[in-house]
Structures are given as structure tokens and as C-alpha cells.
Amino acid sequence: MNKHFLSLAEKAKTLLDENRYVFSETDKVLLQKITEELEELSQKPDGTDYQKELFDIVSLILRYLKFFGINDITDLF
């Protein structure tokens, strides 16, 4: 699973580095924090504290949703 975190982090960095997208400072900071957390998760060995890892993943998903303007997930399901 760690390689998936690293892949997401690299894609998020690409969004920040490319000049095709214009982000507000708030969105840029949020995306940078998400990228940092993805990099941290990618460096953890597999099987470390499953419950904390699951919480970290859910937290990241919720922040990505917020980044894309989705504040209410009830309509997604």
C-alpha cells in the first residue's frame, strides 16, 4: 500500500509544480500538507498500527474531498 501513497504524493506535487493550475493560497497550503502526509505514510513499514493507519487514510480522504470542494459526503453514496 505504501507505493500507492507515494504515487499520490508525486501526483499532488505535480499539480503544485505545474503552471497550468491556479490555486488559492489556502488550497495550495492544504495540498502541500496532504502531500507531506502521503509521503510520511509511504515511508511507514506495512502492518504498523493498522487502526492508526486507517485513521490517517480516512483523514487524508476527507481533506482531499475538502480540497475539491466536497464538504458533504452523503450525496456521494
Side-chain angles (χ1 to χ4, degrees), residues 9-67:
E10 289 171 358
K11 290 175 183 173
K13 276 185 180 180
T14 301
L15 284 175
L16 288 167
D17 293 340
E18 289 183 356
N19 292 328
R20 296 185 302 171
Y21 305 100
V22 178
F23 298 111
S24 69
E25 277 304 309
T26 303
D27 286 345
K28 190 180 275 190
V29 168
L30 179 61
L31 193 54
Q32 287 171 334
K33 286 181 182 179
I34 291 169
T35 303
E36 290 168 7
E37 289 189 31
L38 284 168
E39 288 174 340
E40 287 175 17
L41 284 172
S42 73
Q43 295 172 4
K44 289 183 180 179
D46 285 333
T48 55
D49 194 1
Y50 178 73
Q51 289 180 335
K52 176 158 180 12
E53 189 171 304
L54 185 61
F55 177 76
D56 291 340
I57 293 168
V58 170
S59 175
L60 280 170
I61 291 170
L62 291 174
R63 282 199 243 156
Y64 263 120
L65 291 172
K66 181 180 178 183
F67 175 78

